[in-house]
Amino acid sequence: RVYKRQMRCRSDIDRLDDAFIAIVKSLIPAEEEKAKQQQLLTLLEKLIIKEWPKARLYLYGSCANSFGVSKSDVDLCLVMEEADVNKAEVLLKLADILQSDNLQNVQALTRARVPIVKLMDPSTGISCDICINNVLAVVNTRLLRDYARIDVRLRQLAFIVKHWAKSRGVNETYQGTLSSYAYVLMCIHFLQQRRPAILPCLQGMEATYSVTVDNIGCAYFDQVEKLSDFRSHNKETVAQLVWGFFNYWAYCHDYTDSVISVRTGSIISKREKDWTRRIGNDRHLICIEDPFEISHDLGRVVDKHSIRVLREEFERAAEIMQYDPNPCVKLFEPY
Ligand code: ATP
Ligand code: MG
């Protein structure tokens, strides 16, 4: 069943733009916070190099992809020389080292899906997770950051969407809703699909950056400063895009057959990916292809119950954007 309901955007949509921009501004971390994160990174690097001179520490996730709101946790990835180190061993050793240096709440979660050490730095108040050899995450962080450099509206839209998802309780992967990473990919895809397009498809262009990670070739055009003409054609405001984003996920997306794919800059079919049936726990009820690990559906955490929650939230948001006199308040009301 293809479920489509075309709506025309409310006529006073641009009246809302300043309010959305103000919300985005209030969410952007202060320079001071960035400096503190850097300070913590330097401290941790020093401790790590002492034990593993050839290891390197990378910032990834929202602190490095430019989609981080203020007071986000810091995601770090420790890259060891050998690819197949015993992660549990390294994490336990690392936890020891951190604890002896007075970092607080140090905890090694060696059995988690992505094993990590957690810690809190008492001098800056910043919490942080360190994982091991998760190089793909470092590379997809870089891709997201490069998309954000092309057009400021991506960052603005993603801030609004992430803020909405957190306020409405639909940014909880352990409850079957979507990760922040998935929401940012949804925003990128949405802007690639606008006509005229607001974002190009960087992986569809001549590769100027290319690495192989875990046997996966990751390549894309990263000289985005050369793409300034993309900015000029489409003049939609952030308010229009927020409206369009929720309208798309509420009424226009074909949940039965479609996979959104930032890698190709288009929609592809579930059949093509063989994502038509439930396999194990992967149900593919909303399909978001990872740009590099293309067998990976970021929607696979979504189950029969949470797909309803998600779709009801998209519809609620779309209705608010269409009819509510004050969407900038109503959209983010706690659930
Ligand atoms: P937040 O501001 O909510 O912390 P975040 O950008 O740090 O947002 P997360 O969803 O916590 O987003 O993910 C952190 C990083 O981990 C992402 O930027 C991405 O690089 C990587 N990541 C997260 N989930 C996946 C996944 N399912 N597959 C591949 N990489 C992922
Ligand atoms: Mg994070």
Side-chain angles (χ1 to χ4, degrees):
R1 184 174 62 109
V2 182
Y3 183 35
K4 278 201 174 151
R5 192 171 122 195
Q6 291 299 343
M7 276 213 285
R8 281 193 50 190
C9 188
R10 64 199 281 167
S11 56
D12 66 340
I13 187 78
D14 289 334
R15 176 182 66 79
L16 305 172
D17 209 49
D18 290 345
F20 278 118
I21 301 271
I23 291 171
V24 171
K25 281 204 177 127
S26 72
L27 295 168
I28 292 176
E31 280 307 314
E32 189 194 0
E33 197 179 327
K34 292 269 139 199
K36 282 183 175 172
Q37 290 171 355
Q38 204 52 51
Q39 192 186 320
L40 175 59
L41 180 65
T42 310
L43 165 73
L44 294 174
E45 260 171 347
K46 238 198 269 164
L47 294 174
I48 283 167
I49 298 291
K50 251 193 247 164
E51 177 69 28
W52 297 283
K54 288 185 176 156
R56 295 206 51 190
L57 196 59
Y58 293 92
L59 205 54
Y60 76 102
S62 63
C63 293
N65 66 18
S66 80
F67 297 103
V69 301
S70 67
K71 310 211 168 55
S72 297
D73 290 357
V74 174
D75 299 305
L76 292 172
C77 174
L78 177 60
V79 177
M80 312 288 285
E81 255 205 316
E82 321 109 82
D84 51 352
V85 286
N86 182 331
K87 290 190 184 177
E89 232 166 66
V90 173
L91 288 171
L92 290 170
K93 177 82 202 165
L94 180 58
D96 261 357
I97 294 170
L98 299 171
Q99 212 136 32
S100 347
D101 203 75
N102 286 326
L103 289 152
Q104 305 287 300
N105 308 346
V106 177
Q107 228 183 330
L109 307 181
T110 55
R111 286 154 186 268
R113 193 180 57 82
V114 179
I116 52 168
V117 170
K118 288 183 149 313
L119 64 100
M120 202 274 282
D121 172 26
S123 69
T124 57
I126 296 176
S127 294
C128 133
D129 293 348
I130 307 177
C131 65
I132 314 253
N133 285 359
N134 193 1
V135 182
L136 266 179
V138 176
V139 177
N140 68 37
T141 292
R142 197 176 180 281
L143 177 72
L144 266 46
R145 184 205 60 191
D146 286 336
Y147 269 113
R149 289 163 59 208
I150 300 173
D151 193 300
V152 64
R153 288 172 290 183
L154 168 59
R155 196 171 174 224
Q156 293 168 333
L157 175 65
F159 268 69
I160 298 287
V161 170
K162 278 179 66 175
H163 184 44
W164 161 83
K166 284 181 209 286
S167 313
R168 301 298 301 168
V170 287
N171 180 208
E172 313 283 357
T173 46
Y174 64 92
Q175 288 177 358
T177 54
L178 299 169
S179 66
S180 298
Y181 177 58
Y183 282 114
V184 174
L185 291 173
M186 289 158 85
C187 292
I188 295 174
H189 167 79
F190 175 72
L191 298 183
Q192 285 176 330
Q193 293 282 296
R194 293 314 274 173
R195 290 294 171 266
I198 294 180
L199 292 177
C201 171
L202 294 177
Q203 289 170 274
M205 300 165 65
E206 174 211 357
T208 51
Y209 168 83
S210 156
V211 287
T212 302
V213 181
D214 306 337
N215 288 321
I216 298 174
C218 307
Y220 67 94
F221 182 80
D222 74 339
Q223 298 176 1
V224 295
E225 59 286 348
K226 295 187 179 157
L227 298 175
S228 49
D229 54 324
F230 250 94
R231 235 162 272 149
S232 52
H233 303 299
N234 183 314
K235 302 284 186 207
E236 285 177 293
T237 61
V238 176
Q240 283 169 347
L241 295 171
V242 172
W243 179 91
F245 179 88
F246 288 120
N247 193 254
Y248 173 78
W249 286 100
Y251 305 123
C252 306
H253 181 70
D254 180 353
Y255 288 80
T256 318
D257 287 327
S258 295
V259 176
I260 66 156
S261 164
V262 164
R263 170 181 63 100
T264 59
S266 66
I267 300 261
I268 52 190
S269 76
K270 288 194 191 178
R271 252 165 301 120
E272 198 176 315
K273 307 268 328 173
D274 202 19
W275 284 354
T276 49
R277 306 158 278 131
R278 172 173 174 179
I279 296 178
N281 262 334
D282 296 7
R283 294 174 176 85
H284 306 300
L285 300 173
I286 174 171
C287 293
I288 303 159
E289 182 194 56
D290 186 88
F292 298 121
E293 222 179 337
I294 64 172
S295 62
H296 188 156
D297 175 8
L298 294 161
R300 68 184 179 181
V301 291
V302 176
D303 60 33
K304 241 166 53 187
H305 170 71
S306 60
I307 188 68
R308 277 193 39 209
V309 173
L310 261 179
R311 292 187 63 171
E312 276 166 23
E313 282 298 330
F314 287 135
E315 285 173 28
R316 173 187 178 273
E319 295 293 309
I320 290 171
M321 286 307 296
Q322 181 71 354
Y323 299 113
D324 198 89
N326 204 353
C328 299
V329 175
K330 193 70 181 230
L331 205 54
F332 310 107
E333 255 172 24
Y335 61 105

